[in-house]
Every structure is written in structure tokens, then in C-alpha cells.
Amino acid sequence: MGARALRFYWKYSASLVFLLCCCPLKAELPKNIQFKADYYNRDLVAKVLRGRGNAYIRNGSQELWADEVEVDLQTNLAVATGNVRTIQGELTLWSSKAHFNLKGQDAEFEDATLVSGQLVIAGRTIRRFTAMDYEVLDGTYSNCNLDMLSTPSIAGCSLDWKISGRRFRITMGEYAHFYDVIVQAKNLPLVYSPYLILPIKTQRQTGFLMPSFSVRNTIGTGFTLPLFLALSPWQDLTINSTHFSTAGLHFGLLYRYIYSNEKLGRANVFLTTRRFGPHGSQAVDPGTGARFLGVFGEGAVSAHNIFQFSGSRAQSRQMINWVSDPYYAFDYTGDLEPRSALGSLRSQLSYTRPGNEWLFTAQAQYLQSLIVSKDNNVDGGTAAQLPILAISKMTTPLLGQRLSYEFDALFTHYSRGRRFDQVPSAPVLSGANTDTDSAFDSNDYIRTGNRLQLEPRLVVNVPMPAGFQLQPIVRAGALAYHFAEPSPTLLHREYLDLEIPLGMQISRVFTTSIEGFEKVSHTFQPRAIYASSIYQSGEGSHPFFYRNLAVPNPSGDLTQPTVSISSPRFDLIDQLTPYEYMRFELINRFRRRSADSVDRFFWFQLSEQYNIRTSNIDPRFYNRLGPIELFSSFTVGRFSLQLQSSIGLEDTKTLNNKVLDVPVRETSLSAGIVYQGNNYDMIAVNALYRKSADPAFLAQMATLSISKSLPTFFNIDGMIEYNFKEHQFYGYRVGLSFRTKPRSCWNFSIAVGRDSNRIPYSRLAFMLDFGAIRGI
């Protein structure tokens, strides 16, 4: 046979095999069935088709992958074996072997695991009757374990809880019937039941959540019954109604939405039937007084929102925190942000539009006083900033690479909705300086007006050898003020500042044989900074600025004493204190490099400041020799340590422009060590020692915190805070937590203790959240 005849023979044979195998296959498979595999084998007599290697079948919305699939072309029944995975909608099912009908929904899966949302069901056999109806033999049911799944099986799962039973009948989206079941927590059997029925909801559902109890000395025992409303796939509303035995009803509306990654937020409103007592007291007021809607006496709002404009880098953020009474946060801190403990609330609306060279920001801000402000008589009212307009010019090269410039402009309008103090007509040396109006004695004279700040900056890039950096910065600024109180006044101030930082950076990589530290990088960075206020114009005689007023001379001598009268500035920008200092910094960083990451395991920073010019009214420049500041952190294995200290080199002799009877060498030292074990295990010890000229900042404290995962189905945690100065415990907490992961759908906790204000409390809470959207 010639070469030409041989080529024709092989082409004919290949074409015949293709026509016998492939063409009849496409003709005999049901319509809308896609079948693929790496290798095919077809039995013409038995009419059986086999696909081996990455076998794939698509039947409508159902997809199946397996190592091998065998199809009976006469009955349209198929068998899949080896790593079988079936996906239909939001449901995924793994199994070792599957029998299914190409023209129907009925199927049987062996050694199978079914997952839908947070629902996880495993069984020796799972039978499917329709897309929604299943039967499970020798199975387990669990929930909220998806984050920890590493294989398609949860049969040996010891996380959270699970239900094991002889037989389950399940209708997806409705209910599951369990027969001969044992309820387990962390593999510990708790309850046996011959029959159990539970809702099987793969989507968020409207309904009541589990109730909770709480106990506090000031408001009594509270009982809460939350109602969860699933408004849509991207928003929900929770209604919390709590009745306290002493303070009455506490009503909350908690709204959340996540429309997209660029549009999300929450808005919470709280109302109470309680009325607070007279000014300066947080006691319950039995009187009626004015009430919202005739029922509620006090209220609070806490709302956050983020809105990203489509097709633009511009975005708007809104943050609203408001209370009807300064003492609201004392008993209802959980209604507000953690910053409520700082003594004031900040509400802010902002709009930001970044560009390639310019950044534009518009804000509105409202500051509201809370308990601390009233107690200290610093600011008895609230202040608003509307608007705050800022324009910034990005760093822009000038004259090549040697110079660059930046520019900031900031305009703010300040307003207050209440009266103000007047400058005292007869100031005194000691005690409160009072005016003719006895209701306003807080030295709160001027807090309204307009301010415009313009600050261009010039940066010089000095050519330096490799490893050195010298970038002098010149700031030329102007502050313009307009006040309406006590009479229309326009003032302006100018300043010129210089900062010369000289830095050196040396970096080297070491190769070691220490496990986990084979590659270690050390960066040594000393730096010296000279800074000076070259020029500052005077403040003028307006009451907004500091004033020294003459007082009557009680001794009758020739000297005339004075008292410093001040009103709170808008912010630190107004504090133009003449300064000149040299600052020295030494930074050491050690990083280790692994196969896929680089992390810093040791940091050591030492700094000291020498004030060439001092000030007795600005704590930053009290002494000529500033404190030695040290910060260090070290991480090795499961241990991490932190040390921070500030050691004064000179005595502080004045405080708030008053001479101290006894000078004080101010010093502070804080240290902490943390051991982080597996999962929940943790032990931390923190200590704080602080010696200050201000008695309010004296501290000698130690805190011990422990968290431990027990071999049963709950965790234990505790905290104790001891004050060595007063020789007593300030706060403590002991609690049991039955929640093992941040995204668990249930949470049961018990805690008793005393907070930092030495108020005892106890808390018992059990909550279910099967479909809550992720927190904001």
C-alpha cells in the first residue's frame, strides 16, 4: 500500500469513528443537555455513553462536575462518580457518587454535603425529589460554619452546634422535620428528641429575635424583645423595645442598608419615657414635663452613611450623633459611638472631591456637650461649624525637582445657639470670675465668628548623598477673623514658620538560620529637626484672645496684680505660641521576610526636644528640656510587648498660667504584654504609671485580661483593673461566651462586673441573627 493510500485509509477510519460515536450521541441525548469530557467511550449495543476526566453535564439551570459520568441513552438515567459537585441556583451539593435523571429533578447522592447560604447539611444518603424537597438519611444539620469549612464535609465538625438524626425531611425555604435527633454543642450531646421541626430559611426572614435581659443599678432590670424586619435584600429594620424596672421604656429603631460597596449606611433612633432630673443630676425625674409624642421624655440619634458618586472619585459621608440631655450617655452609652465617653458628641456631614492636583472638602460639624463638660465648667453649651470649606493643592514641582510647593485654604463659620458670658467687670485672683449674669460663669465669652486660614508651603529638595535627606519647609500663613460679639470686629494675624529636617537612613538585610527569621531587614534612621516661628503678629485686644486684666490690690503695695482671662479658642490653629526648638529622633525597625509576606517584629523609637523658647501657657513648650519619649514594640511567636514612656528632664513649675506650690517632674510609663493562643485564647497584662502637675492625670493602674476556650461548648473571659494609688479595684468583669466566631448566627453570653466608674452591672443576652447583613 502506497503512502497516499495509507493516508486515505487513516482519514477514512477516523471519520467513521467520529460518525459512529459523536453524531449518534448528539442525536440521542435529550435536548438542552450539554455533555463534555476529556475522553469518551460509547457502547453501541447497550446504548451507554461514558465520559471520563473533567466530565461535565449541564441540564437547564443545573450543572454537574465529576471524575466520570455514565449515561444510559435509553432511560436517560446517569451515574456520576468521583468528586461529584452539583450546583443549582444558590445550592451546592458535594458527594462521592450520584444517581440522577436527565429529564427530571429526582436524584440520589451518597456521602453528600449540601450547602445553601449558611445552611449546611451532611448525610450518608441525600435524596432529591424536586429542586426544593430532600430526604437525608443518617445526617447532620448545622449553620454558620461556612467560614471554617475546608472540605465539602462537616460530619466531623466540632464548631458551634449541630443536630444529628436518623432521617430528615427538608423543604428548602420552609421547614425541616427531624426524626430521632441529638442536639450537640462542640460535639457534646445536650438533648435527645424523637421529633423536631425547624424553619429552613436561606434568606433573611422577618420575625422576633431571642429576648435578652440586663441589670444596672441606676435604671434597674431590663427585658428586651427585638423584632427583625427584612425590608428587602439590601436593607432591614430592627425594633428594640426594652422596659427597665426603674427608668421605664427604652425604644430603639435600628435601620441598616448596603445597596452597594459605594452606598451603605445605618440610622438608629432611640427614645425613652424617662425624664432626667434638674441640671447637674442624672437621677430619674418623676415629673411629667414636655414629652415627645406625649410619651417619650429623652432621645438620641446615631447615624452613619457613605455615598460614592457614580463615575467620580467624589463622595459624601454623614455622621450624626445627638442626645436630648447631656446625661443621656451616662446610662445609655450603647446607643452612641464609643467617643461618647470623651465628654462630647460630634455630628458631621462632609463632601470630598479629589482631583489630580486639587482636593476640595466641604463639611458641617456640630459639637454637643456631655457629662464631663458640664462637670468641669469648660463649655456649658454646644457649638456648630457650618460650613467648613477646605481647598488643598497637592505637592507640585517648581523649578525642576529642587523645589515644590503646597497650598491649603480653610474657611470656618462658628455659631452657638445660646447666650455667652461677658468679660468680668471685677476680676479676682482666685475662684471663679463672675459677671453680672449669674447663669453664665464658665469663662465662655466668645465662641461665634468666622475664620479664614491661608497657608502656602514651600519645600526645598536639597541634593544629598545616598541615604541622607534634607527638605527644609517654609510655611507662610494668614488668619483672618470676623466677630459679631461684643461688637462687629475684623482682625487678622500672620505667621511665618520654618522647619528643617535632616535625616539619614541605613538599611541592611541579614541572612540567618533562625526558623521564621531567615531574612531580617534592619533600618536605622536618625533624624534631627530644627523648627522655629520666625514671625507672628500680635493677638490684639479682642476678648477672644488671652487678656491680662488688673484686679484690686488687697495688700495695698505698689504692685498691681493681674489675672489672665481667656475664652476657649476655636481649635489649636488659633494657638499661635512663639516657639523655637531642636528635636532629635532615633528610629530602629526590624522586619522579617517570609515566602509570602513581610512583617515588622521590632520597633524602637527614642526622641527628645530642646525648647529654645518656652511658654507658660502652652504645655508643649512648658520647659526648656522636653521629655525623653520612648516607644518600643516587639513580637515573637505568640507574644507581643509594648513599652511607651515620657520622662521629664525639668520640673513643671506652672499650670494653666498659675505657679505651682510644689514643682513636679512629669513622668509617664505604660507597658503591656500579650500572649495570643489558638482561636480565643489570650492573656494580656497592661500597666500605667503617670505623674503629672495636673491631679486629674495622676495614675497608677494595672489591668489583667484573660480569654480562654474551654473544652466544652463555651468560652470564658475576665478583666480586672486595680488602682495602686487608691488601693482599690476600679473595674472588673467575668463572663461566659457561647459564641465562637465573629460571623456566628447566634450569641449567648453572661457577664457580671463593674465599669470604670465603679458602677456594678450584670448582663445576660441571647441573640439569633440568621440573615443579618454585614456590619458597617
Side-chain angles (χ1 to χ4, degrees), residues 718-721 729-734 752-756 760-761:
M719 180 275 295
I720 190 168
E721 183 182 42
F729 292 102
Y730 258 43
Y732 62 86
R733 184 191 71 254
V734 177
V752 295
R754 186 171 67 180
D755 59 24
S756 296
Y761 68 88

Side-chain angles (χ1 to χ4, degrees), residues 416-450:
R416 284 278 297 271
R418 56 161 288 180
R419 299 167 60 189
F420 308 94
D421 277 356
Q422 299 173 356
V423 176
S425 57
V428 296
L429 282 173
S430 61
N433 280 283
T434 61
D435 53 49
T436 56
D437 190 343
S438 60
F440 302 97
D441 296 322
S442 60
N443 291 351
D444 191 11
Y445 307 123
I446 301 295
R447 287 300 296 275
T448 62
N450 303 291

Side-chain angles (χ1 to χ4, degrees), residues 37-57:
D38 294 341
Y39 305 97
Y40 293 98
N41 178 268
R42 185 169 182 269
D43 191 330
L44 298 177
V45 178
K47 296 185 177 180
V48 173
L49 172 66
R50 297 181 181 88
R52 181 169 54 86
N54 297 315
Y56 170 80
I57 290 183

Side-chain angles (χ1 to χ4, degrees), residues 13 56 92 180 201 252 377 382 393-394 444 526 555 563 580 589 671 673 681 766:
S13 300
Y56 170 80
T92 302
D180 290 335
K201 308 291 184 180
N377 285 325
T382 56
K393 173 70 172 176
M394 309 297 183
D444 191 11
S555 62
V563 61
E580 184 177 8
R589 296 193 303 268
I673 179 171
D681 296 348
F766 183 80

